[in-house]
């Protein structure tokens, strides 16, 4: 019993809570269909009457047309009230089949019943109620066929056929053959209507699911585009912080040195002022490149928006090209100049390079080189601002990690103590760690056991892949 109910429930998708949406102007379309089917039924009725087929029909003409009109009227509600349409068509078949069997049996009238049963299955919004309606329709048809054959004119037609010896040439006796034939016609006819209705509902369900998936994919793609823009802006914000922190620190150091030696060593003061000039120009150039990158990101976002969306468009700027904004003209080759820019009368920076076998410095991709440069830039600026050290060492290393992947590493060491009253915001160190995380690398940032401070950042890379990304 339970297994049968489960099969019926699965057949009609009774446990699916989805409701098939009604199309636009469906009521008008169904009303037009009802009028068209009534016209076809009326035409078919008159043709049959002209052929003499309806000569044995005793019902008056107005009753015949009323029967056809009432059946066609059900189709006007086939999608608005699908279950009621199916039950109404079944009741109409039973009543008209009992009082006007010749009218009920015409082809156009049978098509009306077919469409009504199909619509009940295809458009039912309550799938659990549909199971009950389907069982009720099937039971009503079985009862009606039994009554028609046992007590109506159906059995009389079978008995009349026994008087004709020419009809007794088949393998099966006429009574069972007639019963099986009638049952098969009804099963195929109404079963086919139900099967088409199930196929139509499931097809609409699949299309709805595909539309939802397409919408979800589009939303995810838009979210990924927005996320990419946000990440690029955060990267540029870190770049801007590093640029300003480095150059302002260098300008402050050199300006202070120039002030101290201006009275007794004009040449040294002039050299310090030249360094201030170079640092300021470099800062302006780098910030211009970063602002160009922001404009490039805005153009990309505006291009990704649908027509009519808001967003500012910027004129083409060579400095805003992806390659330029991503590298900003700095990399591993600039580490020597970076160290020299911090040198002064009371501070020196040494630079050394240790390359692993088969991994020259030249193979380090620009993206990794830029991140190492920014790390060294921030670390040296922190030494000058927050440490009493009078010297720092920078070591650049390349090599091969445990997994066989090459890496590039920069390490900045100093032996000073923290300078009082110079605590920073911590954004520089946070930017370092975010860079390392974006490359899947590792870092060690903190005080040394022997005194001083250590910043070591190791970034793995693949020369071909990272090079393509730049």
């Amino acid at each position: 019993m339970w297994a049968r109910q489960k099969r019926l429930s699965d057949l009609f998708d009774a446990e699916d809570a989805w409701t098939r949406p009604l199309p636009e102007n469906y009521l008008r379309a169904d009303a037009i269909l009802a009028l068209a089917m009534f016209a076809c039924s009326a035409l078919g009725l008159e043709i049959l009457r002209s052929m003499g087929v309806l000569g044995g029909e005793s019902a008056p003409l107005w009753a015949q047309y009323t029967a056809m009109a009432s059946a066609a009227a059900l189709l006007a509600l086939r999608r608005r009230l699908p279950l009621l349409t199916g039950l109404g068509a079944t009741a109409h078949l039973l009543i008209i089949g009992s009082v006007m069997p010749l009218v009920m049996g015409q082809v156009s009238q049978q098509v009306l019943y077919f469409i009504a049963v199909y619509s009940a299955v295809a458009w039912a919004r309550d799938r659990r109620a549909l199971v009950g309606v389907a069982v009720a329709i099937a039971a009503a048809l079985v009862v009606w066929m039994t009554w028609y054959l046992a007590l109506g004119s159906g059995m009389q037609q079978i008995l009349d056929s026994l008087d004709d010896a020419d009809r007794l040439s088949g393998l099966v006796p006429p009574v069972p053959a007639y019963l099986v034939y009638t049952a098969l016609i009804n099963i195929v006819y109404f079963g086919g209507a139900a099967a088409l209705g199930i196929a139509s509902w499931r097809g609409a369900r699949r299309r709805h699911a595909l539309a939802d998936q397409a919408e979800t994919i589009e939303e995810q793609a838009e979210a990924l585009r927005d996320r990419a823009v946000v990440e690029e802006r955060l990267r540029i914000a870190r770049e801007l912080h590093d640029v300003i922190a480095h150059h302002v620190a260098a300008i402050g150091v050199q300006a202070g040195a120039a002030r101290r030696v201006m009275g007794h060593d004009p040449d040294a003061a002039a050299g310090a002022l030249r360094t201030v000039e170079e640092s300021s120009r470099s800062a302006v150039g780098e910030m211009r490149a970063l602002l160009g990158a922001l404009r490039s990101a805005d153009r990309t976002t505006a291009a990704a928006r649908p027509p009519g969306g808001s967003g500012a468009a910027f004129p083409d700027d060579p400095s805003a090209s992806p390659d330029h904004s991503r590298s900003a003209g700095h990399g591993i080759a600039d580490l020597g100049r970076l160290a020299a820019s911090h040198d002064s009368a009371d501070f020196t920076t040494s630079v050394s390079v240790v390359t692993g076998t088969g991994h020259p410095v030249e193979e380090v991709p620009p993206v990794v080189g830029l991140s190492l440069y920014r790390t060294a830039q921030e670390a040296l600026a922190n030494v000058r601002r927050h440490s009493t050290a009078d010297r720092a060492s920078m070591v650049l290393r390349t090599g091969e990690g445990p997994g066989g992947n090459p890496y590039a590493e920069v390490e900045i060491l100093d032996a000073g103590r923290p300078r009082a009253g110079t605590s920073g915001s911590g954004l520089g160190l946070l930017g370092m760690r975010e860079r390392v995380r974006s490359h899947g690398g590792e870092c060690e940032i903190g005080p040394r056991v022997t005194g001083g401070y250590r910043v070591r950042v190791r970034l793995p890379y693949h020369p071909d892949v990272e090079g393509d990304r730049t």
Side-chain angles (χ1 to χ4, degrees):
M1 180 66 180
W2 290 108
R4 188 180 299 111
Q5 291 180 354
K6 182 65 169 58
R7 286 195 295 269
L8 280 175
S9 177
D10 293 341
L11 178 63
F12 292 101
D13 302 288
E15 301 303 322
D16 196 324
W18 178 69
T19 299
R20 185 174 183 178
L22 294 171
E24 295 182 1
N25 301 322
Y26 70 95
L27 287 175
R28 182 175 63 184
D30 291 343
I32 294 175
L33 175 64
L35 291 174
M37 292 306 301
F38 173 73
C40 291
S41 297
L43 178 61
L45 186 70
E46 293 303 325
I47 291 176
L48 291 177
R49 181 177 288 106
S50 300
M51 294 170 56
V53 176
L54 299 179
E57 185 60 68
S58 59
L61 184 61
W62 65 267
Q64 298 176 24
Y65 273 90
T66 300
M68 292 185 300
S70 58
L74 290 172
L75 298 185
L77 302 175
R78 71 185 189 94
R79 285 185 281 194
R80 182 67 182 86
L81 301 171
L83 295 181
L84 182 61
T85 299
L87 291 173
T90 303
H92 190 279
L93 182 149
L94 299 181
I95 295 172
I96 302 303
S98 300
V99 298
M100 288 181 282
L102 295 180
V103 175
M104 185 273 292
Q106 66 165 313
V107 175
S108 59
Q109 198 73 9
Q110 292 297 311
V111 172
L112 286 171
Y113 300 141
F114 184 94
I115 295 176
V117 173
Y118 159 81
S119 300
V121 178
W123 293 95
R125 289 176 284 279
D126 188 344
R127 308 303 291 183
R128 292 185 177 180
L130 173 62
V131 176
V133 170
V135 172
I137 292 176
L141 292 175
V142 170
V143 171
W144 182 80
M145 287 300 302
T146 303
W147 176 86
Y148 175 76
L149 292 175
L151 303 177
S153 58
M155 185 57 67
Q156 184 61 45
Q157 295 177 6
I158 299 175
L159 295 176
D160 291 343
S161 67
L162 297 177
D163 297 334
D164 192 346
D166 294 336
R167 298 184 181 181
L168 302 179
S169 59
L171 298 177
V172 182
V175 174
Y178 188 85
L179 295 176
V180 171
Y181 177 76
T182 304
L184 288 177
I185 287 179
N186 283 274
I187 290 173
V188 171
Y189 189 77
F190 291 103
L196 286 178
I198 292 172
S200 175
W201 188 90
R202 290 179 178 175
R205 182 72 175 93
R206 286 192 296 270
R207 290 191 297 272
H208 178 80
L210 290 175
D212 283 348
Q213 291 176 0
E215 183 177 355
T216 300
I217 291 172
E218 178 61 27
E219 291 176 355
Q220 291 176 347
E222 184 175 354
L224 289 174
R225 288 193 296 267
D226 293 342
R227 179 181 176 183
V229 172
V230 170
E231 289 179 349
E232 183 68 8
R233 290 178 182 271
L234 290 176
R235 183 192 69 80
I236 294 172
R238 292 195 298 269
E239 298 281 335
L240 193 60
H241 171 272
D242 294 343
V243 168
I244 294 175
H246 162 67
H247 289 291
V248 170
I251 290 172
V253 169
Q254 298 296 336
R259 180 180 55 81
R260 287 194 298 269
V261 302
M262 185 175 295
H264 61 274
D265 193 349
D267 292 337
L273 290 177
R274 280 195 299 271
T275 303
V276 170
E277 181 182 5
E278 292 172 359
S279 293
S280 63
R281 288 178 176 175
S282 178
V284 170
E286 292 183 32
M287 285 190 290
R288 184 174 297 166
L290 292 173
L291 291 176
L294 282 174
R295 293 174 177 177
S296 177
D298 284 339
R299 284 199 303 271
T300 302
T301 305
R305 291 193 184 101
S310 61
F314 295 89
D316 291 337
D317 183 356
S319 66
S321 64
D323 294 339
H324 187 82
S325 66
R326 188 167 286 277
S327 64
H330 291 302
I332 289 178
D334 301 303
L335 290 177
R337 288 192 295 272
L338 173 65
S341 68
H342 283 276
D343 288 345
S344 63
D346 57 353
F347 188 86
T348 59
T349 305
S350 63
V351 180
S352 59
V353 179
V354 181
T355 58
T357 304
H359 298 290
V361 173
E362 291 75 14
E363 81 168 10
V364 177
V367 171
V368 174
L370 174 61
S371 294
L372 295 178
Y373 178 90
R374 294 304 186 196
T375 298
Q377 187 181 58
E378 177 67 20
L380 290 176
N382 286 341
V383 172
R384 300 307 310 271
R385 287 196 302 263
H386 307 305
S387 175
T388 62
D390 58 359
R391 66 179 179 273
S393 65
M394 180 193 306
V395 181
L396 173 66
R397 301 185 185 92
T398 62
E400 192 170 291
N405 295 323
Y407 68 83
E409 175 182 289
V410 67
E411 182 179 45
I412 295 88
L413 302 174
D414 72 85
R417 295 186 303 274
R419 182 175 297 175
T422 61
S423 60
S425 64
L427 294 177
L429 299 182
L430 178 61
M432 287 186 192
R433 292 187 171 91
E434 288 180 351
R435 289 180 189 277
V436 172
R437 188 182 302 113
S438 68
H439 287 280
E442 59 184 59
C443 65
E444 296 180 20
I445 302 174
R448 302 166 62 191
V449 177
T450 58
Y453 207 81
R454 180 191 193 194
V455 174
R456 185 186 70 85
V457 168
R458 174 178 291 187
L459 303 180
Y461 65 88
H462 189 286
D464 294 333
V465 175
E466 296 287 350
D468 292 341
R469 285 166 55 184
T470 63

